[in-house]
Amino acid sequence: MSFPLSRPPIFSKTSSPDKIPSFPERFPTSFSFDRCFSRQLSHWKMFSAIENAPSTIQTVTISYSELTDKDADLSMKIEEGFGPNGLGILSISNVPELSSLRQNLLHLAPRLASLPEEVKKELEDPHSRYNFGWSHGKEKLESGKPDMLKGSYYANPVLDRPTTEDSVIQRYPSYCQPNIWPGKALPELESAFKALGKLMVDVGLILAYHCDQYVSKWVTMRDDEGLEQILQRSRCHKGRLLYYFPSQKR
């Protein structure tokens, strides 16, 4: 590899005739071979990285109006989002009332986290492994230390009591326990949680319908074994409200 020079090398007057001058002696002080080579190498690395950079995959978005049109063919978008080359995510845009319902619920999160400790203790459910009601410091980080920076509130947004069969509750406590609500301590939480959660379930069911339409092009399915029917029969939907506590300065 060669680099053009603006002028011939200048040799030092102190150089002996039988000694090959070093780079600083052979080249003018205004020119640095090392610096130029490093710069060219950096540029080469940058262009090489750009050429070899993986292509960016965008999240696939379906508008709510498209989604609710049961005659619409969304196969291409479903395959793009959920297929082998997708992210496994589909985004639904312009869902009516979503923004206001979300805001209503999220505004209650700091109030919930600020309730007296004895009240939050009553909202815990160790029998469900803290998968219903209030949970704080029950999850562990990779270091083994409890995660104290976030609090969670779990509930079924569709059914307060998914089942009354004790054997089922004992076998699946994380899914089948009854909901726990703050009651007088924060009465708005129940209605806000259920409103947003129910909307998300309903939108998910419509998306499941279109997924079934896509799959039915390749696989013969009975009417009762599609994803939409499975989700409709399910009694164990689960919502989670997260609150992140301000980190303590050390």
Side-chain angles (χ1 to χ4, degrees), residues 2-10 23 26-28 30-34 36:
S2 61
F3 298 93
L5 302 177
S6 58
R7 53 178 174 167
I10 299 176
F23 275 130
R26 293 175 58 192
F27 289 89
S30 61
F31 178 85
S32 171
F33 179 85
D34 292 336
C36 181

Side-chain angles (χ1 to χ4, degrees), residues 56-236:
T56 302
I57 302 177
Q58 300 292 333
T59 303
V60 178
T61 299
I62 300 174
S63 69
Y64 183 77
S65 59
E66 286 182 288
L67 189 73
T68 53
D69 181 1
K70 291 201 169 183
D71 294 326
D73 185 359
L74 302 180
S75 299
M76 185 176 297
K77 289 188 175 182
I78 288 173
E79 182 171 342
E80 186 180 354
F82 290 153
N85 298 317
L87 293 174
I89 298 173
L90 278 176
S91 174
I92 310 301
S93 63
N94 302 318
V95 178
E97 299 184 17
L98 175 64
S99 180
S100 60
L101 293 177
R102 180 175 179 271
Q103 186 175 16
N104 289 343
L105 180 59
L106 292 183
H107 280 179
L108 296 175
R111 292 177 56 188
L112 173 65
S114 300
L115 290 176
E117 291 301 322
E118 60 271 18
V119 174
K120 289 187 289 187
K121 190 70 176 178
E122 294 177 356
L123 299 175
E124 293 181 348
D125 184 11
H127 298 294
S128 68
R129 303 185 183 95
Y130 300 95
N131 281 291
F132 279 92
W134 175 250
S135 174
H136 180 219
K138 308 305 179 184
E139 297 180 53
K140 290 186 177 180
L141 304 172
E142 291 184 358
S143 62
K145 295 181 179 180
D147 183 2
M148 303 301 295
L149 292 181
K150 70 173 181 289
S152 303
Y153 202 88
Y154 299 93
N156 185 327
V158 180
L159 297 168
D160 276 322
R161 187 178 292 273
T163 180
T164 57
E165 296 184 33
D166 291 337
S167 60
V168 177
I169 296 174
Q170 291 176 5
R171 186 175 182 182
Y172 305 106
S174 299
Y175 300 97
C176 297
Q177 287 282 111
N179 283 333
I180 304 172
W181 299 111
K184 294 181 180 180
L186 191 62
E188 308 98 308
L189 180 65
E190 179 178 355
S191 58
F193 196 107
K194 288 181 176 179
L196 178 59
K198 181 66 165 54
L199 176 62
M200 295 174 71
V201 170
D202 289 343
V203 173
L205 286 172
I206 304 173
L207 177 59
Y209 165 83
H210 287 284
C211 289
D212 289 339
Q213 298 305 303
Y214 169 75
V215 173
S216 65
K217 294 181 179 181
W218 316 100
V219 179
T220 301
M221 296 189 305
R222 298 197 309 267
D223 291 339
D224 62 343
E225 65 180 5
L227 181 60
E228 181 188 17
Q229 292 299 318
I230 292 173
L231 293 177
Q232 280 183 337
R233 292 195 301 268
S234 174
R235 302 177 64 83
C236 298

